[in-house]
Amino acid sequence: MTTTIDSFAGEDILSVNQFDRASLNAIFGIAHEMRVLVERFGGAELLQGKILANLFYEPSTRTSSSFTAAMQRLGGQVIPINNVQYSSVSKGESLPDTIRTLESYADVIVIRHPEVGAAATAAYYAEKPVINAGDGVGEHPTQALLDLFTVQEELEQIDGLTVVMVGDLRYGRTVHSLTKLLLNYNVSFVFVSPDILRLPADVLEAVQTSGHSYSQVEDLHSVIGEADVLYMTRVQRERFTDLAEYDRVKDFFIADKALMAQAKEKMIVMHPLPRVGEISYALDDDPRAAYFRQMRNGMYIRMALLAALLGKA
Ligand code: NCD
């Protein structure tokens, strides 16, 4: 386990299991400084001369562009491979060879891939740090870090909160990573999903063995009044083999004004985005709607992580 920020230098970021409260505090402190830096000066030259390879085998808007912005605001440069269909991957190149290629040009590799464990495989072959930007239905650790940072910034505490996670808890990798990361704190969980989209057994088991209080329900209205954090998610259409099943469950939970009328006055609504109907646009003006601020926090967290991995934090 890595506990100080210095010990992240040269490391990979593959799973939230690598973090504890001390390292989270350190990263959040740096991310907060990055925010101040960006707001005052637009950035700094901390990573001048460094190059990041941004390798995305799955679609992305926020994760990809916030890594790019993070690197560029710290004075570094980016090799963007967002269209692997135009790279040698489409000629049949293996992941290890693609990784060996990129690390001969870059100092750090960010990878998103449809297979669970792909980032770990990349890290096995790479000497340079590898960051998991989503491995299929597995993990999305940097999203969980920015999610938790958002809770800390918005509510000024994490201990004592009730976190209500809603939607596709089965395939949503952001839910898997955030749930595990939250086990470092004294929180209560409410998991709201249709029966077929409940948390995977391994994540549920981690919650159970940790002794945190939790419940699994199918009705959002009955629990909304307890929420300090309402974490909405998209039903992950691309993970379904049977699209009729997807159609059946996709509109189960919608956060709208009627729902928010039953919520606490001091609470936040989060979403990793993209939203595809589960949060009404009418909520965007509600001060409790934190999802756009959350998205912006992604850049500060990724600036902090890049600085830490490249030994400049
Ligand atoms: C998420 C992802 O890719 O897992 N998006 C993101 O990184 N912000 C969530 C999603 O696609 O639903």
Side-chain angles (χ1 to χ4, degrees):
M1 169 116 25
T2 316
T3 50
T4 69
I5 204 70
D6 297 336
S7 51
F8 277 96
E11 291 295 314
D12 305 306
I13 295 181
L14 303 177
S15 162
V16 290
N17 296 335
Q18 291 168 255
F19 300 92
D20 59 13
R21 282 179 81 126
S23 53
L24 290 167
N25 278 338
I27 290 166
F28 294 168
I30 300 170
H32 192 86
E33 283 172 34
M34 293 298 183
R35 177 203 296 280
V36 173
L37 198 71
V38 170
E39 286 172 354
R40 290 206 187 137
F41 310 109
E45 296 301 301
L46 214 58
L47 298 183
Q48 198 171 23
K50 300 288 185 189
I51 295 181
L52 174 150
N54 220 16
L55 177 61
F56 280 71
Y57 290 81
E58 279 190 344
S60 173
T61 301
R62 274 151 291 272
T63 306
S64 163
S65 54
S66 65
F67 266 114
T68 299
M71 195 63 185
Q72 292 181 339
R73 284 190 184 274
L74 289 176
Q77 309 221 33
V78 180
I79 303 171
I81 307 189
N82 285 77
N83 294 306
V84 285
Q85 68 267 36
Y86 299 121
S87 75
S88 286
V89 168
S90 68
K91 301 180 190 168
E93 184 162 69
S94 68
L95 181 61
D97 280 3
T98 301
I99 292 299
R100 285 189 187 106
T101 306
L102 290 175
E103 77 161 340
S104 60
Y105 308 135
D107 302 287
V108 53
I109 298 172
V110 171
I111 179 171
R112 169 172 289 185
H113 196 283
E115 280 165 35
V116 175
T121 304
Y124 176 81
Y125 288 99
E127 305 269 313
K128 308 264 173 76
V130 169
I131 302 176
N132 180 5
D135 60 333
V137 299
E139 277 216 40
H140 193 348
T142 67
Q143 178 73 41
L145 292 170
L146 79 88
D147 289 344
L148 198 59
F149 178 59
T150 300
V151 175
Q152 170 78 59
E153 294 273 294
E154 296 272 330
L155 299 175
E156 286 157 6
Q157 69 181 74
I158 301 170
D159 286 318
L161 299 181
T162 296
V163 180
V164 178
M165 304 226 189
V166 184
D168 191 342
L169 312 184
R170 177 178 182 188
Y171 298 121
R173 56 195 172 198
T174 72
V175 169
H176 307 163
S177 287
L178 180 58
T179 300
K180 290 196 258 179
L181 203 54
L182 280 167
L183 296 178
N184 288 290
Y185 298 84
N186 178 20
V187 296
S188 305
F189 296 96
V190 182
F191 299 110
V192 186
S193 73
D195 192 40
I196 60 163
L197 296 180
R198 286 186 178 203
L199 272 188
D202 63 318
V203 182
L204 186 63
E205 207 181 297
V207 174
Q208 286 166 334
T209 54
S210 72
H212 285 73
S213 89
Y214 77 96
S215 59
Q216 298 186 95
V217 302
E218 290 188 37
D219 176 32
L220 177 53
H221 280 267
S222 65
V223 295
I224 182 66
E226 299 166 34
D228 298 302
V229 175
L230 176 66
Y231 192 90
M232 299 294 297
T233 65
R234 167 181 78 90
V235 178
Q236 311 272 302
R237 184 176 193 275
E238 66 274 31
R239 313 289 180 208
F240 281 72
T241 41
D242 179 357
L243 284 181
E245 280 278 88
Y246 168 76
D247 282 329
R248 189 173 71 75
V249 294
K250 71 179 173 23
D251 295 324
F252 260 42
F253 307 110
I254 296 176
D256 56 13
K257 286 203 157 171
L259 182 82
M260 291 303 289
Q262 301 170 52
K264 290 182 185 174
E265 227 167 90
K266 187 181 177 201
M267 57 84 75
I268 53 172
V269 183
M270 298 177 64
H271 194 306
L273 302 176
R275 60 175 157 179
V276 289
E278 53 298 316
I279 297 183
S280 154
Y281 290 106
L283 285 197
D284 294 356
D285 295 332
D286 190 315
R288 296 170 291 184
Y291 32 92
F292 297 135
R293 298 189 291 274
Q294 175 187 0
M295 168 172 87
R296 191 164 174 81
N297 286 337
M299 183 172 75
Y300 306 132
I301 279 289
R302 289 169 177 134
M303 289 173 79
L305 290 174
L306 290 171
L309 295 195
L310 295 170
K312 301 282 183 180

